[in-house]
Amino acid sequence: MKIVNYFVRLSLLVFVLIIAKSSTNVMDATVENENVNKTINLSTMALKVIEVEEELKFTAIDTYTGDLTGYAHDCPLCNGTLACMPSYDITDGTNTYNDAEYGEVYIVASSKNLPCGSIVSFYSNRISDDRVLAIVLDRGVRGNSLDFLVPTEQYAYDNIGRSTITYDVLRSGWE
């Protein structure tokens, strides 16, 4: 009987060792990579994705030509509020808006051809040597024209005047 118990215990021990050894082999399994480019630089990949998103953000979805004029909150037909955002205070001369996607952009008035919240991009050396980004937050013009919000009516007369521009629509309304 002792010999039978001994063989049962020995068999059980061998069985446990076999299972343990096979489990250990599975757990220790590694993947060998002989590729020259062994690492993936996730930071570089993330920067590339951001770069592509930035390019797409500035891709025109439509292009228009119209007149560019200037106006201020105290113009003869103005009441100091914006048609698209009546609670946004511009009576202190504010002419910019902080957009979640495009950052600080200028404010323009448009016809209803462009929905409120549309982002436009144009060049006008009367405003800046660089590209101008603006958001449609007001109404009051016809057709494809844009009215650029400035601090005072005198500034609009002296610096903006009236000129023909071509502008790109980068976003149509708040999407």
Side-chain angles (χ1 to χ4, degrees):
M1 188 72 150
K2 288 184 174 182
I3 295 176
V4 173
N5 278 341
Y6 177 75
F7 281 119
V8 170
R9 287 183 184 171
L10 185 62
S11 298
L12 187 58
L13 182 62
V14 169
F15 181 71
V16 170
L17 287 174
I18 291 171
I19 290 175
K21 179 68 174 159
S22 66
S23 296
T24 305
N25 287 344
V26 172
M27 294 171 94
D28 287 341
T30 58
V31 176
E32 301 233 359
N33 184 358
E34 296 302 325
N35 190 346
V36 176
N37 301 320
K38 289 187 178 187
T39 60
I40 298 174
N41 189 333
L42 295 178
S43 298
T44 302
M45 288 175 62
L47 290 174
K48 190 64 175 170
V49 168
I50 291 169
E51 184 180 305
V52 169
E53 286 176 351
E54 284 294 313
E55 285 179 28
L56 290 176
K57 189 165 79 170
F58 291 100
T59 301
I61 57 175
D62 220 337
T63 302
Y64 296 99
T65 299
D67 287 338
L68 175 69
T69 54
Y71 78 108
H73 70 89
D74 60 350
C75 73
L77 298 175
C78 301
N79 62 3
T81 63
L82 301 169
C84 300
M85 294 185 72
S87 63
Y88 194 75
D89 185 21
I90 59 168
T91 57
D92 63 354
T94 298
N95 67 337
T96 60
Y97 175 80
N98 193 12
D99 184 73
E101 185 177 359
Y102 287 87
E104 188 172 17
V105 293
Y106 290 101
I107 298 171
V108 294
S110 169
S111 68
K112 291 187 178 181
N113 290 348
L114 293 176
C116 291
S118 294
I119 298 287
V120 296
S121 168
F122 60 90
Y123 290 95
S124 173
N125 59 1
R126 297 173 185 208
I127 298 170
S128 172
D129 292 334
D130 298 324
R131 170 174 47 183
V132 176
L133 286 177
I135 187 168
V136 175
L137 292 182
D138 211 355
R139 299 290 183 214
V141 298
R142 294 189 179 142
N144 294 331
S145 294
L146 295 177
D147 211 357
F148 190 81
L149 182 61
V150 294
T152 66
E153 279 295 294
Q154 192 60 48
Y155 184 90
Y157 293 131
D158 294 343
N159 298 295
I160 307 297
R162 178 181 299 271
S163 60
T164 301
I165 61 164
T166 298
Y167 60 92
D168 293 327
V169 178
L170 305 179
R171 180 178 78 197
S172 182
W174 282 291
E175 298 173 342

